[in-house]
Amino acid sequence: MIVERIWINNRLRNYNYLIACPQTGEAMALDPLAHQLCLQRAQLRGWEITSILNTHEHPDHTAGNVPLMSMTGAPVLAHHGAQGKIPGMSHALRAGDSVRVGTSVVLKVLDTPGHTRTHVCLLWETETPALFCGDTLFNAGVGNCHNGGHPEALYQTFSTQLACLDESTQVYPGHDYMVNNLEFTLDREPSNQAAAALLERVRDLDPTELPITTLGMEKQINTFFRLSQPEVIERLRDQTPGLAEDPSEEAVFLRLRQLRNDW
Ligand SMILES: [Zn+2]
């Protein structure tokens, strides 16, 4: 599998991806908002875009579908529940489905509600695993739940699916909010050395140069994976009257998600 991460330099700081089979040169365009840029990049690499996949229904992920379809003839794959909400959608995905790219790449579909009710992540289950996580997991943060999502569903997705993946899994999110998210982690847990070191390293980097994190790193730098850290809980207590003596991880997650809304 070859991954081309494309920074499209818009206000929402989207990443688009091309996921290619090195054997055949076939490529999947993932959330190709900047459809022309995706097509140019594929041509530059000698790849043919043979499928389009959307992680979820938001227009900043789907608005490139129809033009890219008309230029490539590629089908559009998305969560089965998003039918009618996604332009050009032709193939419905369910948890456990396999999506093939060329002859050598197989991606497993995870049904990951929370940011929206109909969100999928793609998992490349190999010795060097990778997760394409749309707006579910960001570097050092999580997606919001403002537009059709639900924080409790997001917590369930985190605790029962993402937290269980191998720590070496590389993380490919749908947006770059790394600096802001690290600042939020440090606001919640000022003694977090790993987050402070990474922030120092990335603060002035161009988004095209930002490092790819792993789930193991996320568990160090992402406050939403650090729900039982005493410092996180103690600082939350100051802003959360009535927080239980020994709060559940879910209660901590939901309160952090609430605080992040106003950050
Ligand atoms: Zn979204």
Side-chain angles (χ1 to χ4, degrees), residues 64-87:
N65 287 2
V66 170
L68 192 57
M69 263 170 71
S70 68
M71 291 187 276
T72 61
V76 176
L77 295 74
H79 190 288
H80 64 93
Q83 204 109 41
K85 295 189 253 179
I86 289 193

Side-chain angles (χ1 to χ4, degrees), residues 177-212:
Y177 303 132
M178 193 186 276
V179 167
N180 266 354
N181 284 338
L182 286 168
E183 286 174 346
F184 183 67
T185 286
L186 285 164
D187 183 63
R188 299 289 92 214
E189 191 186 0
S191 72
N192 186 323
Q193 296 299 316
L198 185 60
L199 180 59
E200 181 70 28
R201 182 176 150 210
V202 303
R203 192 189 285 282
D204 299 319
L205 285 184
D206 187 89
T208 57
E209 296 169 342
L210 287 172
I212 307 294

Side-chain angles (χ1 to χ4, degrees), residues 6 31 35-36 47 50 74-76 95 104 124 141 189 198-199 203 207 214 235 239 245 263:
I6 302 171
D31 292 339
H35 54 95
Q36 275 166 330
W47 297 339
T50 51
V76 176
S104 66
W124 194 48
E189 191 186 0
L198 185 60
L199 180 59
R203 192 189 285 282
T214 62
R235 281 182 66 81
Q239 291 159 290
E245 186 57 40
W263 172 255

Side-chain angles (χ1 to χ4, degrees), residues 12-124:
L12 290 172
R13 308 181 68 81
N14 289 70
Y15 283 127
N16 296 182
Y17 294 94
L18 296 175
I19 301 168
C21 168
Q23 252 94 58
T24 66
E26 289 166 84
M28 169 194 284
L30 183 64
D31 292 339
L33 174 60
H35 54 95
Q36 275 166 330
L37 199 56
C38 289
L39 198 61
Q40 278 167 14
R41 201 67 72 87
Q43 281 165 351
L44 205 64
R45 302 286 299 250
W47 297 339
E48 185 192 353
I49 294 175
T50 51
S51 60
I52 297 166
L53 193 147
N54 295 135
T55 54
H56 64 292
E57 68 271 29
H58 287 157
D60 62 310
H61 296 252
T62 64
N65 287 2
V66 170
L68 192 57
M69 263 170 71
S70 68
M71 291 187 276
T72 61
V76 176
L77 295 74
H79 190 288
H80 64 93
Q83 204 109 41
K85 295 189 253 179
I86 289 193
M89 179 175 163
S90 54
H91 289 63
L93 300 174
R94 291 172 191 277
D97 283 354
S98 294
V99 174
R100 289 178 179 278
V101 185
T103 53
S104 66
V105 180
V106 181
L107 299 160
K108 180 176 159 189
V109 174
L110 308 182
D111 190 342
T112 52
H115 173 65
T116 71
R117 293 289 192 177
T118 53
H119 190 297
V120 293
C121 293
L122 297 176
L123 178 64
W124 194 48

